[in-house]
């Protein structure tokens, strides 16, 4: 479910010429960078220049950008080398073979030397005040990530609706309650693209799963609060539309592991592994929980994941389309009212 954007596209259009000029003027090392932007890329030439200019336009400049190229075969390398030549805050690294997005995402995080870190996509855009607005929110020691509201953007850069299913504020003292809220209510994982405490983020694991982003957010919910800035500061480009759940799972698994989709285990096997990952997260959480509460959390997580990953997609993609509308309309309305039914 989404709402209409509160402002026009012009609010986030980046001044390319001004940003390029600032890149030249700032061609000096940042004495003590506070934030690392980690940008794992593969064949991003269509939008990469725009993404880099969006970061160069930030009103706060105490950051560095590490671009890790997973053996792109298009013009990505040329764009990155030119950007690094123009601004010494940008570091470009190219790998000789594609090792999967899981490797690349972990690599840029492991290379960071700053106290704060943010993953960035080579096809997205950020408001100029992204860093300036979010970093002060991390002055609260209990906050481990600060992220903004996000707005959809299509392949041509036309802005769509503002996401309303990524509200994952977790100012909840009890770590188990935070975990359960994420498991039952997490929608699209926009908060992954917020600014994180580097040391806390490294305590999580980018797992070889079709949902590593969901698992990482779920795992880290035990360690602190997620807070959302009320303004739209992140434009997320939608690269794929119209996928069924099975197509999405196969594509995501292939992206993360770097293996062909044909080599993926069956759908139910993949979902079963996803459920086991949630159970493992509960039993390895570094917080004080009784054995009975861990068992209860693991059971709740397993049943919720099964419903959201198997029951709901099967209902909406297979069963409901085969039924007449006078039957499906009340069923859809009832299902939408259920917490965690997405």
């Amino acid at each position: 479910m989404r709402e209409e954007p509160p402002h026009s596209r012009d609010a986030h259009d980046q001044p390319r010429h001004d940003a390029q000029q600032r890149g030249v003027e700032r061609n000096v090392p940042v004495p003590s960078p506070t934030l690392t932007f980690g940008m794992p890329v593969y064949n991003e030439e269509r939008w990469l220049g725009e993404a880099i200019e969006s970061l160069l336009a930030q009103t706060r400049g105490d950051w560095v950008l590490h671009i890790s190229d997973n053996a792109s075969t298009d013009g990505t390398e040329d764009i990155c080398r030119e950007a690094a030549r123009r601004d010494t805050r940008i570091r470009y690294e190219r790998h000789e073979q594609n090792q999967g997005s899981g490797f690349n995402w972990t690599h840029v995080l492991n290379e960071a030397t700053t106290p704060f870190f943010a993953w960035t996509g080579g096809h997205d855009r950020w408001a100029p005040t992204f860093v300036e607005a979010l970093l002060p929110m991390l002055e609260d020691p209990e906050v481990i990530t600060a992220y903004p509201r996000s707005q959809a953007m299509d392949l041509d850069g036309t802005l769509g609706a503002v996401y309303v299913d990524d509200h994952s504020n977790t100012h909840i003292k009890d770590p188990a309650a935070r975990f359960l809220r994420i498991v039952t209510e997490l929608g699209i994982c926009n908060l992954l693209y917020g600014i994180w405490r580097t040391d806390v983020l490294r305590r999580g694991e980018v797992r070889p799963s079709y949902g590593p982003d969901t698992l990482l957010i779920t795992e880290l919910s035990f360690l602190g609060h997620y807070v959302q800035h009320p303004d739209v500061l992140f434009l997320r480009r939608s690269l794929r539309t119209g996928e069924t759940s099975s197509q999405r799972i196969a594509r995501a698994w292939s992206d993360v592991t770097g293996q062909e989709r044909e080599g993926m285990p069956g759908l139910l096997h993949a979902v079963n592994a996803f459920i086991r990952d949630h159970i493992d997260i509960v039993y390895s959480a570094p917080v004080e929980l009784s054995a009975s509460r861990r068992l209860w959390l693991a059971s709740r997580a397993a049943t919720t994941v099964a419903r959201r990953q198997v029951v709901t997609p099967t209902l909406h993609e297979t069963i409901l389309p085969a039924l007449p509308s006078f039957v499906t309309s009340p069923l859809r309305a009832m299902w939408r009212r259920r917490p965690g039914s997405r």
Side-chain angles (χ1 to χ4, degrees):
M1 180 178 179
R2 299 178 181 177
E3 67 182 2
E4 290 306 309
H7 43 62
S8 68
R9 176 177 177 173
D10 291 339
H12 282 277
D13 280 346
Q14 304 300 331
R16 289 183 62 88
H17 175 74
D18 291 347
Q20 289 172 345
Q21 185 62 32
R22 278 195 293 271
V24 173
E25 294 172 352
R26 293 177 179 175
N27 195 22
V28 294
V30 179
S32 298
T34 304
L35 167 69
T36 295
F37 287 120
M39 182 179 284
V41 297
Y42 175 72
N43 285 355
E44 298 271 17
E45 68 173 352
R46 179 175 177 183
W47 304 287
L48 183 56
E50 180 182 336
I52 293 173
E53 295 303 330
S54 176
L55 295 177
L56 289 174
Q58 292 299 303
T59 54
R60 179 167 171 173
D62 55 336
W63 51 264
V64 291
L65 168 61
H66 177 194
I67 306 174
S68 179
D69 184 356
N70 228 348
S72 293
T73 58
D74 62 359
T76 293
E77 180 176 5
D78 293 337
I79 295 170
C80 293
R81 292 197 183 280
E82 171 58 21
R85 182 197 64 79
R86 192 157 49 86
D87 195 311
T88 54
R89 291 175 299 176
I90 300 175
R91 171 192 171 197
Y92 172 65
E93 179 182 14
R94 177 179 172 82
H95 304 285
E96 292 305 314
Q97 64 183 65
N98 189 334
Q99 302 178 62
S101 61
F103 158 80
N104 217 12
W105 280 61
T106 303
H107 178 70
V108 290
L109 172 60
N110 289 341
E111 291 288 302
T113 58
T114 54
F116 300 102
F117 178 88
W119 274 305
T120 52
H123 44 266
D124 297 322
R125 282 169 35 197
W126 301 264
T129 55
F130 178 86
V131 177
E132 181 181 358
L134 295 186
L135 272 181
M137 300 176 72
L138 287 150
E139 292 175 1
D140 181 344
E142 294 188 345
V143 173
I144 61 174
T145 187
Y147 69 104
R149 300 192 73 190
S150 307
Q151 189 168 0
M153 179 172 57
D154 69 13
L155 298 180
D156 296 322
T158 301
L159 299 187
V162 174
Y163 290 100
V164 296
D165 60 353
D166 67 341
H167 290 262
S168 301
N169 289 281
T170 56
H171 271 306
I172 303 171
K173 282 292 185 181
D174 180 18
R178 289 199 304 265
F179 166 83
L180 200 58
R181 177 171 182 177
I182 291 296
V183 168
T184 57
E185 298 184 16
L186 180 65
I188 192 166
C189 298
N190 287 330
L191 76 87
L192 192 68
Y193 298 95
I195 295 179
W196 294 79
R197 296 187 186 279
T198 306
D199 57 343
V200 176
L201 189 55
R202 284 184 177 141
R203 293 175 66 179
E205 179 183 355
V206 179
R207 300 170 186 249
S209 162
Y210 68 82
D213 47 0
T214 297
L215 292 171
L216 183 61
I217 291 168
T218 302
E219 180 179 8
L220 295 176
S221 66
F222 279 110
L223 302 182
H225 300 302
Y226 303 151
V227 294
Q228 185 180 56
H229 194 282
D231 294 341
V232 176
L233 305 175
F234 175 51
L235 304 181
R236 183 171 182 173
R237 198 180 302 270
S238 301
L239 300 182
R240 304 169 186 88
T241 58
E243 288 182 320
T244 65
S245 59
S246 58
Q247 290 170 336
R248 174 183 59 81
I249 288 174
R251 185 260 307 160
W253 182 87
S254 178
D255 288 347
V256 171
T257 63
Q259 301 179 38
E260 297 297 328
R261 298 188 189 188
E262 291 74 15
M264 189 191 84
L267 177 61
L268 290 180
H269 178 89
V271 173
N272 184 49
F274 195 57
I275 292 173
R276 289 200 308 271
D277 282 330
H278 278 80
I279 295 172
D280 176 66
I281 286 171
V282 171
Y283 279 98
S284 61
V287 294
E288 291 188 10
L289 293 171
S290 66
S292 60
R293 197 168 193 203
R294 286 189 193 269
L295 176 60
W296 179 78
L297 280 177
S299 300
R300 282 291 306 274
T303 55
T304 301
V305 171
R307 185 180 75 242
R308 299 183 73 180
Q309 299 294 318
V310 179
V311 177
T312 300
T314 301
L315 176 70
H316 287 283
E317 296 171 7
T318 305
I319 299 175
L320 290 182
L323 298 176
S325 60
F326 74 86
V327 175
T328 61
S329 296
L331 285 176
R332 290 183 189 276
M334 178 184 67
W335 198 262
R336 282 195 296 268
R337 289 194 294 269
R338 289 176 59 90
S341 63
R342 292 181 56 83

